[in-house]
Amino acid sequence: MRFCYLLRYAPTQTETFVYREAQGLIDAGHRVRAVSWEAREPGDELPDWELRHPPGRAALLPLVLRARGCWLAGHQRPKRVMQGLWFADQLHPDEVVHAHFAGEAAEWARQAWLERGIPYGLTVHAVDLFKPRPSLGALVRDARVLLTVTHHNAELLRQRFGVQAQVLPCGAPELPLSPLEGPVLSVARDVPKKGLDLLRRACATLGEPLRLVGAEGPRPSSEVREALASSRLFALPCREAPDGDRDGLPVALMEAMAAGLPVITTTLPGLEELVDESVGWLVPPDDEQALVEALREALADPEEARARGLRGRARVQRDFSVRTQVQHFLAAWS
């Protein structure tokens, strides 16, 4: 098949789950390219694809009249609408389009379907579902392939829009087994839904060192891997933010488990599809004292921490690998 990934930003450091999926398709013999609105960061783990960005305003002027009455004009500003029409025009008739996140890029994909009948697929993650754009219903109803990362998300999509989404979590790569030495680790942006404020206070209460990677901005995969290999425990106390934003199934948790780290996270719906008490510790969201106790228990019993970490590693290798992600992605499109 011929796939065109449509992204808001590429390259960027934060969407390795897209790059790994795309490289898996390429390795399986499929033709893959990408179009993104613009670049944000250098990015790493980039696939061997052709990457294009839309042209500037001058090249788009012939599309002005056509842009005024199209569906996309009700959702984006004029320059972006014309770029979306450019995108539709340059697609190959045999391509299919896939967008991660039901956001602005996915609106381009739907416009291309309206213009030319080229099918599009969509992977719904978290912010796009919990802080949705007005177009979300149209996007998910018209997608040829509708994927989402948790069963919890799939049920919400069914209830809200009457659609059946296939559950396909993003996968983690194979990683070396951590010796479980070093500080407590978290890999996350410092935004309310990640709960890093709780984690800082909990570690301070216990007098335990804490390493935060990515709190001030995206970091290269090499730095994340080094941190996973030199930490004894991974914690991500996810919560629902005041604005409704929340996580779906964080890839950072999968990567920690792939490295054999015991993990601590919360009972926020969806997370239990990856983490349970056999592979880590679960605490209620926003319960700082429960987080302190889970940290205390995990750090006080290295043998139990290692056992849970090994079971988590086996779970990721079996059910949440990049290989599994690519296989199921192709099955959804076949």
Side-chain angles (χ1 to χ4, degrees), residues 149-153 167 169 249 269-275 315 320:
V149 296
T150 68
H151 291 277
H152 176 69
N153 286 4
V167 178
L249 206 56
L271 296 179
E272 78 283 353
E273 298 178 30
L274 174 67
V275 180
R315 176 174 295 176
F320 297 94

Side-chain angles (χ1 to χ4, degrees), residues 207-230:
E208 288 290 337
L210 170 64
R211 180 175 182 181
L212 299 177
V213 175
E216 297 181 357
R219 305 304 304 159
S221 295
S222 58
E223 183 175 333
V224 174
R225 294 185 185 214
E226 182 276 326
L228 293 172
S230 56

Side-chain angles (χ1 to χ4, degrees), residues 188-266:
R189 293 175 296 133
D190 194 359
V191 295
K193 68 178 180 178
K194 301 294 184 179
L196 296 187
D197 54 323
L198 298 173
L199 184 58
R200 288 188 182 98
R201 292 196 297 269
C203 286
T205 297
L206 295 171
E208 288 290 337
L210 170 64
R211 180 175 182 181
L212 299 177
V213 175
E216 297 181 357
R219 305 304 304 159
S221 295
S222 58
E223 183 175 333
V224 174
R225 294 185 185 214
E226 182 276 326
L228 293 172
S230 56
S231 302
R232 61 191 295 203
L233 177 69
F234 186 92
L236 190 63
C238 303
R239 53 145 80 108
E240 183 173 338
D243 63 359
D245 194 12
R246 44 156 295 186
D247 271 311
L249 206 56
V251 174
L253 269 174
M254 293 181 193
E255 292 182 342
M257 293 168 65
L261 286 174
V263 297
I264 297 175
T265 189
T266 69

Side-chain angles (χ1 to χ4, degrees), residues 22-67:
Q23 187 61 54
L25 296 174
I26 294 169
D27 293 342
H30 298 274
R31 298 183 64 175
V32 180
R33 69 185 186 100
V35 173
S36 78
W37 286 19
E38 56 193 77
R40 186 160 60 180
E41 296 126 16
D44 59 4
E45 296 193 54
L46 298 177
D48 299 322
W49 61 13
E50 172 199 347
L51 174 62
R52 297 185 66 188
H53 302 291
R57 188 180 298 272
L60 301 171
L61 288 178
L63 299 171
V64 169
L65 293 179
R66 184 172 146 208

Side-chain angles (χ1 to χ4, degrees), residues 71-72 75-76 103-112 133 135 139:
W71 173 83
L72 192 58
H75 299 277
Q76 297 186 18
E104 296 96 330
E107 290 172 351
W108 283 21
R110 185 174 189 270
Q111 183 64 43
R133 293 175 63 80
S135 62
L139 294 177

Side-chain angles (χ1 to χ4, degrees), residues 92-104:
H92 190 279
D94 294 333
E95 277 185 309
V96 297
V97 178
H98 199 86
H100 278 263
F101 300 100
E104 296 96 330

